Each structure stands twice: as structure tokens, then as C-alpha cells.
Amino acid sequence: MKSYLISENRDSLIGMQLAGIEGTYLKSKDEIEVAFKDALNNKDIGIIFLTEKAYLMIEEAVIEVKKKYFSPLVTVIPDRYGYQRSEGMITRYIKESVGL
């Protein structure tokens, strides 16, 4: 299975390509939604990486996919500037799962 990156940041895409991960660089919410749906429909893709800003543009769609499907794994990564939120995603997931 392949990994695939959806990024709104060109530097993040280039870095992942250097690591052998294919992906796409998009700027608009509509383009990112289409790329996300296409990646979901591609049975060769096992992991979809979204940069944080791309994730925030389509957050509701990503959450629905995570609730409904086991595969592919969808994960959020920081861009070259790190996470934009005050706390990291892992901390947020832990707090949500414990009910804080």
C-alpha cells in the first residue's frame, strides 16, 4: 500500500516526495476536497497525510471518514512551521477521548 500527501504547502510536498511519498499541492478548499475523495477511492493508498492547514479546510469531511472507515489511515501532519494550534493533535485526541 502507498502513502499519499495532500498539502497546501509546497515545501511539505517536496520534503515528502524526497522521502518517496507521492502527493499533491493544492490551495483551495474545493481542490483539497476533490483530492481527498479521489485518494479515498484509490484502493492502492493505505495512508493519507494531510498538512494541518489542508485538514482544517476539510475538517468535517475528514472526521466523518475517520468515523466510518477503517482504511485508509488518515493522519494530520504539521507543515514546515509546526502545528498552528496551541496544542498538538495527539494531546487533542487524548483530551477528546477522555472527555475533557
Side-chain angles (χ1 to χ4, degrees):
M1 297 229 157
K2 297 188 297 184
S3 298
Y4 191 77
L5 172 71
I6 300 171
S7 176
E8 87 316 322
N9 180 296
R10 188 179 312 253
D11 294 335
S12 298
L13 175 64
I14 292 170
M16 294 296 264
Q17 286 176 332
L18 289 171
I21 295 174
E22 295 177 20
T24 187
Y25 164 70
L26 306 163
K27 283 296 209 180
S28 76
K29 177 182 177 180
D30 294 334
E31 291 174 326
I32 291 171
E33 278 184 318
V34 169
F36 183 66
K37 289 177 184 175
D38 289 345
L40 288 173
N41 292 328
N42 185 338
K43 299 302 178 193
D44 291 334
I45 296 175
I47 301 173
I48 299 173
F49 293 106
L50 290 161
T51 55
E52 183 183 26
K53 288 181 184 176
Y55 165 74
L56 292 173
M57 289 184 199
I58 61 167
E59 184 173 10
E60 293 173 8
V62 173
I63 290 171
E64 286 301 313
V65 166
K66 285 185 169 191
K67 288 179 183 177
K68 291 181 182 177
Y69 302 104
F70 177 72
S71 179
L73 173 66
V74 179
T75 189
V76 180
I77 62 170
D79 62 17
R80 71 183 196 145
Y81 301 108
Y83 283 112
Q84 301 301 310
R85 298 182 190 177
S86 61
E87 60 185 32
M89 294 299 292
I90 294 173
T91 304
R92 182 172 163 223
Y93 286 141
I94 292 170
K95 286 182 177 180
E96 287 176 359
S97 66
V98 189
L100 296 175

